[in-house]
Amino acid sequence: MDSVPALDEPLKKVLGPATAKVMAEHLGLHTVGDLLHHYPRRYEERGQLTHLADLPMDEHVTVVAQVADARLHTFASSRAPRGKGQRLEVTITDGSGRLQLVFFGAGVHKPHKELLPGTRAMFAGKVSVFNRRLQLAHPAYELLRGDAEETVETWAGALIPIYPATAKLESWKIGKALQTVLPSAQEAADPLPGPLREGRGLVTLPEALLKIHRPHTKADIEEARARLKWDEAFVLQVALARRRHADAQLPAVPRRPRPDGILAAFDARLPFTLTEGQRKVSEEIFADLATDHPMHRLLQGEVGSGKTMVALRAMLAVVDAGGQAAMLAPTEVLAQQHHRSVTEMMGDLAQGGMLGGADDATKVVLLTGSMGAAARRQALLDLATGEAGIVIGTHALIEDKVQFHDLGLVVVDEQHRFGVEQRDALRGKGKQPPHLLVMTATPIPRTVAMTVFGDLETSVLDQLPAGRSPIASHVVPAADKPHFLARAWERVREEVEKGHQAYVVCPRIGDEEDGAKAKKKSPEDEAEKRPPLAVLDTAEQLARGPLAGLRVDVLHGRMPPDDKDAVMRRFAAGEVDVLVATTVIEVGVNVPNATAMVIMDADRFGVSQLHQLRGRVGRGSAPGLCLLVTEMPEASPARQRLNAVASTLDGFELSRIDLEQRREGDVLGQAQSGTRSSLRMLAVIDDEEVIAEAREEAARIVASDPDLERLPALRTALDALLDEEREQYLEKG
């Protein structure tokens, strides 16, 4: 058997089975190479202390600090009824703030002896709140004695690396494991082509790995980071460039609209003119559809920018050319809504083969999982014969039974809710690969689009159509100022009195067996000891209390599809004043008469989700109002997030804020499978320049050597990045 290359060596051989097991289970590290690429989160200087003032809640942190004082208390408890229970409280400080450590029971003896005032140590634990103060309960710690031989060796130099760690494995233990494997870094194959590396003045990969784990100066860290960022950006962009190159080789049927066809007839009846943005994006799409390889385009547009209109015109162009178009929506509510709005926009052009249908008409069919057998049979028949030019549906469209006469275009709505396998299955329904248009209302900063959707060309709709109204957003601090919440309900009543309607959004449905089990508690929950507000309870309280006398109804994801549709129809028809709902209304629901939205426990939602929800109001001529209700204290990160949402309607600005707060997840879709991120060093927001340059270099290299035959080390790095699962992810685009 060949000897295993040093970086592929399993950690259990090098570190022993116990440590290797924890690294595999909790950090996703399996080989020596994985561990070498587990970079420090930050560095502490021996003479300098951490900022205790900005510790993140509910996260495992490592801090270097000094003991200010330590007190042992005795107390009575169920286990020690005679007052024999012991609690050690240690206060540590770093000049910026103080933090309390607590130890209980038998665990107090060792720290009581060792953590004397003036002692410096590294402490690791989970930050929690007790009596509204931050604390670490039973933290692990390692004393920093300048003289102890082992300590000095372990943290050679003045900079102590602090690693992303877990409760089972503290940062300094990871540091010691790295000490063991660091010599193997010399054997790391360098994926960057020599001329590229030298041209940009980057250090070699072995040197970068040594400097990131054992820096002697801050300049070492900067050099290593600059190099490792380039690796991540470049290898990823090469993967995407190869994907684009392969797509360009695929055959597709060009689809050009007829000058006197259904698209021309549709355009002639439009009661409004398209915005400049809609016209420009449509031209880009029509140019793609006319080529003989498949279009792969991402259409980004703010909530309400008219993406559906652009997608419909693309579908009509394909129908004109004799093909069929399928629109895939993430939920039944949304599929039904798209079907309604498309048939309304098309009028008699959607009545192909029916009495009163226009000459150029086609059939527009709906296909969802909950349809009756007869309607479903008819829809399947219309698709197989080509009678239906347009089909709108949920993933029911993907089932084996569904056969198309000639599928020419697939439109996927809300990319991030759709599994890759599902899109792949639908693309497999065409005789040749169909053209693909992906629509998203979640604005994506340019670099993220280049990274996450790097195999798609991007179009952006950034103008709102005429007639859309501004939305005023305000944070309602319910705990600090209860009268603000009372005023919020008065505002809802005022909107209803003017003849408008309102949404109230809650994070939970409320018929779960046990709210606590349903969701792992967030730190804020722990602090507040209250489960998130629920639709069913809130609706009942509002109907009995502040909104008594108004017509209040509920909508949530666990209702039978027919009931959901019936509620939406009643709301759209103006028969319901206030709809209390979960985020099932987040995407695509269009009721122009709804002007107000109250989001309860708004801190439990993400930034882009709040922006999506808010886009449901102000869709008509009357201005919109969005109230973000929260009980979070003013200084909390949650409140800062809500203030950011209230301060701007610019989705691109908000998506930057969102990313800065929660990092990028895994750009190769690992978010879908829960493994750890392939981006460890690269921050897609901050490293815009590196990503853009890497994309250009990657395109150049792939154009001249698509199989990377001249660059074996780059091929090896690609294989490591694209293990089988990720390879499939890219394959399915």
Side-chain angles (χ1 to χ4, degrees):
M1 188 184 126
D2 296 343
S3 65
V4 180
L7 299 196
D8 293 338
E9 189 83 48
L11 286 173
K12 61 172 174 277
K13 285 194 175 168
V14 189
L15 303 175
T19 307
K21 185 168 187 265
V22 176
M23 285 196 169
E25 284 175 10
H26 295 274
L27 296 168
L29 306 174
H30 302 278
T31 65
V32 168
D34 289 344
L35 181 54
L36 285 173
H37 288 293
H38 186 72
Y39 308 131
R41 179 173 279 165
R42 57 190 168 79
Y43 300 85
E44 292 292 1
E45 291 182 67
R46 197 174 286 285
Q48 205 190 31
L49 299 168
T50 324
H51 270 289
L52 293 181
D54 28 85
L55 288 180
M57 271 290 292
D58 207 34
E59 275 190 26
H60 276 281
V61 298
T62 303
V63 296
V64 176
Q66 187 163 341
V67 176
D69 75 340
R71 292 171 194 203
L72 192 60
H73 303 272
T74 52
F75 60 92
S77 71
S78 54
R79 286 189 183 166
R82 291 201 197 85
K84 295 279 173 61
Q86 289 194 310
R87 182 174 80 244
L88 176 66
E89 290 180 2
V90 178
T91 306
I92 57 173
T93 177
D94 65 349
S96 81
R98 297 166 90 79
L99 180 67
Q100 187 147 25
L101 317 177
V102 285
F103 301 88
F104 293 100
V108 304
H109 305 309
K110 183 167 177 271
H112 190 214
K113 285 207 297 271
E114 293 183 334
L115 297 179
L116 304 171
T119 308
R120 284 198 169 180
M122 293 168 83
F123 302 91
K126 195 174 194 177
V127 183
S128 59
V129 166
F130 182 71
N131 281 345
R132 299 193 93 69
R133 286 169 63 192
L134 294 182
Q135 69 166 29
L136 296 183
H138 282 284
Y141 62 87
E142 181 97 339
L143 302 177
L144 289 176
R145 304 186 187 88
D147 51 1
E149 211 31 58
E150 191 241 5
T151 314
V152 174
E153 261 174 43
T154 309
W155 299 303
L159 294 163
I160 304 170
I162 305 290
Y163 290 93
T166 76
K168 298 267 194 316
L169 198 65
E170 294 88 17
S171 169
W172 52 86
K173 290 185 181 158
I174 296 172
K176 285 174 186 170
L178 265 150
Q179 198 67 17
T180 311
V181 302
L182 208 51
S184 311
Q186 292 304 339
E187 300 182 39
D190 202 323
L192 288 192
L196 189 159
R197 187 173 57 70
E198 287 148 21
R200 294 183 180 277
L202 299 168
V203 299
T204 63
L205 182 56
E207 192 181 336
L209 289 171
L210 286 170
K211 284 183 168 173
I212 201 79
H213 293 298
R214 292 292 168 266
H216 292 293
T217 63
K218 288 185 176 169
D220 284 354
I221 300 170
E222 286 316 304
E223 278 186 7
R225 278 191 172 147
R227 162 62 214 242
L228 295 166
K229 277 180 182 181
W230 248 94
D231 277 17
E232 285 177 14
F234 179 69
V235 174
L236 180 59
Q237 291 300 339
V238 166
L240 293 165
R242 290 184 74 193
R243 181 82 206 90
R244 288 195 302 276
H245 185 270
D247 281 342
Q249 316 305 310
L250 289 174
V253 180
R255 311 278 179 175
R256 295 183 185 83
R258 300 199 316 274
D260 56 349
I262 188 169
L263 177 62
F266 175 77
D267 282 352
R269 304 163 175 221
L270 277 181
F272 51 83
T273 53
L274 297 173
T275 65
E276 183 54 43
Q278 285 174 317
R279 273 205 300 278
K280 184 175 129 287
V281 170
S282 290
E283 278 162 22
E284 290 171 351
I285 290 171
F286 291 154
D288 282 358
L289 289 174
T291 61
D292 54 10
H293 56 86
M295 162 171 85
H296 287 102
R297 190 167 281 281
L298 172 70
L299 172 57
Q300 289 187 64
E302 277 287 8
V303 175
S305 56
K307 292 183 300 300
T308 311
M309 173 59 72
V310 169
L312 176 54
R313 293 183 73 239
M315 294 197 288
L316 294 175
V318 169
V319 172
D320 255 352
Q324 290 170 295
M327 185 182 228
L328 211 47
T331 64
E332 294 212 352
V333 169
L334 194 52
Q336 287 160 340
Q337 175 125 8
H338 275 318
H339 183 255
R340 266 204 300 281
S341 61
V342 164
T343 46
E344 279 164 19
M345 285 197 270
M346 286 175 64
D348 60 1
L349 290 172
Q351 295 170 2
M354 294 182 238
L355 273 174
D359 293 347
D360 289 308
T362 185
K363 246 189 191 178
V364 179
V365 299
L366 176 69
L367 192 60
T368 63
S370 63
M371 283 168 75
R376 190 180 169 74
R377 253 199 318 276
Q378 185 59 51
L380 291 173
L381 186 64
D382 289 341
L383 285 179
T385 58
E387 188 82 10
I390 295 177
V391 58
I392 297 171
T394 53
H395 44 225
L397 277 177
I398 295 164
E399 290 170 11
D400 294 341
K401 295 192 197 75
V402 182
Q403 298 297 325
F404 287 86
H405 177 63
D406 179 13
L407 180 61
L409 170 67
V410 176
V411 178
V412 179
D413 190 13
E414 286 303 321
Q415 152 92 12
H416 59 289
R417 295 166 171 257
F418 234 87
V420 172
E421 290 73 19
Q422 295 162 315
R423 278 180 294 156
D424 184 44
L426 191 53
R427 273 175 24 185
K429 298 269 182 196
K431 296 190 177 74
Q432 284 195 326
H435 298 281
L436 175 70
L437 179 66
V438 172
M439 300 197 295
T440 176
T442 309
I444 305 164
R446 192 176 81 94
T447 45
V448 185
M450 283 196 307
T451 314
V452 184
F453 302 113
D455 56 336
L456 300 175
E457 298 302 325
T458 305
S459 297
V460 178
L461 274 177
D462 46 13
Q463 281 172 294
L464 290 187
R468 287 300 301 262
S469 303
I471 304 170
S473 306
H474 303 284
V475 177
V476 177
D480 314 350
K481 299 178 177 163
H483 59 288
F484 275 37
L485 183 57
R487 176 73 189 114
W489 301 126
E490 281 171 24
R491 284 290 291 112
V492 170
R493 292 193 86 97
E494 286 164 17
E495 288 300 311
V496 173
E497 278 158 21
K498 289 182 201 161
H500 298 307
Q501 292 159 281
Y503 298 99
V504 176
V505 182
C506 302
R508 208 160 58 86
I509 296 173
D511 57 0
E512 297 89 347
E513 286 163 34
D514 175 355
K517 275 187 205 144
K519 189 165 182 281
K520 202 167 129 268
K521 287 198 168 141
S522 75
E524 282 99 338
D525 293 5
E526 288 296 348
E528 302 300 324
K529 290 285 182 281
R530 170 174 77 63
L533 290 171
V535 166
L536 301 176
D537 309 342
T538 304
E540 196 180 325
Q541 287 160 10
L542 290 175
R544 281 208 315 263
L547 302 184
L550 302 187
R551 297 167 299 173
V552 176
D553 212 336
V554 297
L555 180 70
H556 59 74
R558 281 214 291 276
M559 288 163 63
D562 290 351
D563 294 2
K564 277 193 279 204
D565 200 38
V567 171
M568 270 321 300
R569 279 177 192 277
R570 285 203 300 278
F571 189 61
E575 294 160 21
V576 172
D577 298 321
V578 179
L579 185 61
V580 184
T582 55
T583 53
V584 71
I585 61 153
E586 175 188 351
V587 177
V589 171
N590 184 22
V591 179
N593 191 44
T595 53
M597 175 177 285
V598 181
I599 303 180
M600 307 304 291
D601 279 343
D603 46 273
R604 318 266 176 145
F605 298 96
V607 169
S608 61
Q609 208 172 19
L610 291 169
H611 182 59
Q612 288 282 337
L613 286 165
R614 169 171 63 184
R616 302 295 119 219
V617 294
R619 297 178 79 87
S621 51
L625 171 70
C626 179
L627 301 175
L628 307 166
V629 179
T630 177
E631 293 185 359
M632 285 291 112
E634 190 151 0
S636 63
R639 270 287 278 283
Q640 288 161 8
R641 211 168 57 229
L642 296 180
N643 292 338
V645 174
S647 68
T648 179
L649 290 173
D650 180 342
F652 286 94
E653 179 54 33
L654 285 174
S655 66
R656 287 185 82 95
I657 293 168
D658 193 19
L659 271 168
E660 280 160 6
Q661 289 193 335
R662 66 181 171 80
R663 292 286 293 170
E664 292 80 24
D666 189 306
V667 298
L668 282 187
Q670 293 303 88
Q672 294 189 352
S673 63
T675 356
R676 95 214 137 93
S677 169
S678 64
L679 291 191
R680 299 181 188 84
M681 196 54 85
L682 196 69
V684 282
I685 289 290
D686 304 334
D687 298 319
E688 190 159 341
E689 223 168 277
V690 176
I691 292 169
E693 288 175 18
R695 185 179 166 104
E696 279 172 31
E697 292 279 9
R700 210 169 42 72
I701 280 168
V702 170
S704 65
D705 183 7
D707 295 329
L708 307 179
E709 282 167 3
R710 299 192 291 280
L711 298 166
L714 175 55
R715 238 193 7 247
T716 307
L718 262 188
D719 295 342
L721 174 76
L722 305 175
D723 51 36
E724 219 163 298
E725 182 180 3
R726 295 178 178 183
E727 183 66 82
Q728 286 170 354
Y729 177 84
L730 282 185
E731 277 306 317
K732 292 167 181 170

